[in-house]
């Protein structure tokens, strides 16, 4: 039973690879614009499901399709990827000295029978105070610009994180422990991993 990651995210691939989980990649592109009045929880759940369905329709079993969508929220509002340097600066100013939440929706589809699992994992992240100079130095690294919330906890921004409540890997983009539990529930095991050799 092979695993198919429905994402081109290098960070999600790195999490699975680091955990010794073999997989192949079929990227999925969906419109990630939130619906009017849609909650962050519903948003990530909807997008993860849409990505999984898209890839499952193009795949052949036996396999499990894994799809995920991650957002950063502050006071219930989604903070997306920055569109400019000024946007990234504003985002980091908002996060400074505050606690925000990272939500990842995950959708799994087992093929060929179509059995599904869906869940949303939440991690709370406590940010240190950031001076204007620190923000400028961080912006100069180019690290913030393709990241939700304009930072990478696994990169230089790790020095600004006082503590987290919940799964670290969820902040990077894939809640590894919960994913492993759900994969086992769908019948995937280390024995499949050792024999699959499908890492991509």
């Amino acid at each position: 039973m092979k695993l198919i990651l429905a994402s081109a995210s290098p960070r999600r691939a790195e999490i699975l690879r680091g955990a010794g989980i073999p997989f192949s990649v079929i990227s999925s592109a969906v419109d990630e614009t939130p619906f009017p009045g849609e909650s962050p929880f519903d948003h990530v759940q909807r997008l993860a499901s849409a990505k999984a369905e898209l890839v499952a329709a193009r795949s052949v079993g036996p396999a499990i399709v894994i799809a995920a969508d991650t957002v950063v929220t502050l006071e219930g509002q989604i903070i997306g990827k920055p569109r400019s340097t000024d946007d990234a600066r504003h985002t980091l100013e908002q996060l400074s000295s505050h606690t925000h939440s990272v939500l990842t929706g995950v959708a799994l589809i087992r093929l060929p029978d179509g059995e599904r699992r869906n869940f949303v994992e939440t991690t709370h992240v406590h940010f240190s105070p950031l001076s204007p100079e620190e923000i400028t130095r961080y912006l100069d690294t180019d690290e913030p610009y393709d990241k939700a919330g304009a930072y990478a906890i696994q990169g230089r921004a790790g020095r600004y994180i006082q503590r987290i409540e919940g799964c670290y890997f969820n902040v990077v983009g894939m809640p590894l422990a919960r994913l492993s539990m759900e994969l086992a529930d769908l019948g995937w095991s280390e024995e499949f991993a050792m024999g699959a050799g499908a890492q991509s």
Side-chain angles (χ1 to χ4, degrees):
M1 188 186 302
K2 64 184 178 179
L3 301 181
I4 301 171
L5 179 62
S7 172
S9 164
R11 290 171 289 279
R12 292 193 179 108
E14 186 177 349
I15 290 171
L16 297 184
R17 195 173 293 120
I21 298 175
F23 61 95
S24 57
V25 173
I26 300 179
S27 61
S28 56
V30 299
D31 183 355
E32 299 188 357
T33 305
F35 289 162
E38 185 176 42
S39 72
F41 184 98
D42 290 341
H43 177 71
V44 294
Q45 196 168 52
R46 174 176 63 83
L47 291 187
S49 295
K51 293 174 183 179
E53 295 289 351
L54 187 65
V55 170
R58 294 154 45 195
S59 304
V60 178
I64 298 176
V65 176
I66 305 168
D69 189 77
T70 301
V71 296
V72 171
T73 69
L74 183 64
E75 298 178 350
Q77 299 300 311
I78 295 175
I79 300 177
K81 297 177 182 179
R83 297 178 296 275
S84 64
T85 299
D86 287 344
D87 192 20
R89 182 183 298 278
H90 177 65
T91 294
L92 292 167
E93 289 171 347
Q94 286 183 293
L95 298 182
S96 174
S97 301
H98 289 91
T99 298
H100 65 272
S101 299
V102 179
L103 284 74
T104 299
V106 178
L108 307 175
I109 301 177
R110 185 175 66 195
L111 302 173
D113 67 334
E115 184 70 20
R116 286 160 169 75
R117 297 289 185 277
N118 295 276
F119 65 91
V120 176
E121 188 84 6
T122 301
T123 302
H124 302 294
V125 181
H126 301 263
F127 237 83
S128 299
L130 296 178
S131 69
E133 293 76 20
E134 285 176 310
I135 292 175
T136 296
R137 284 196 298 270
Y138 186 53
L139 294 175
D140 286 344
T141 69
D142 290 333
E143 187 176 272
Y145 297 107
D146 66 338
K147 314 290 192 307
Y151 76 94
I153 191 173
Q154 74 276 22
R156 293 173 182 265
R159 69 184 75 178
Y160 308 133
I161 309 302
Q162 292 179 333
R163 62 190 174 91
I164 68 171
E165 298 170 45
C167 175
Y168 164 82
F169 292 105
N170 187 51
V171 183
V172 184
M174 182 66 77
L176 183 58
R178 179 69 185 276
L179 173 67
S180 298
M181 291 172 54
E182 298 292 346
L183 287 174
D185 190 51
L186 286 173
W188 185 87
S189 71
E190 291 294 330
E191 286 73 21
F192 289 121
M194 297 301 292
Q199 188 166 342
S200 172

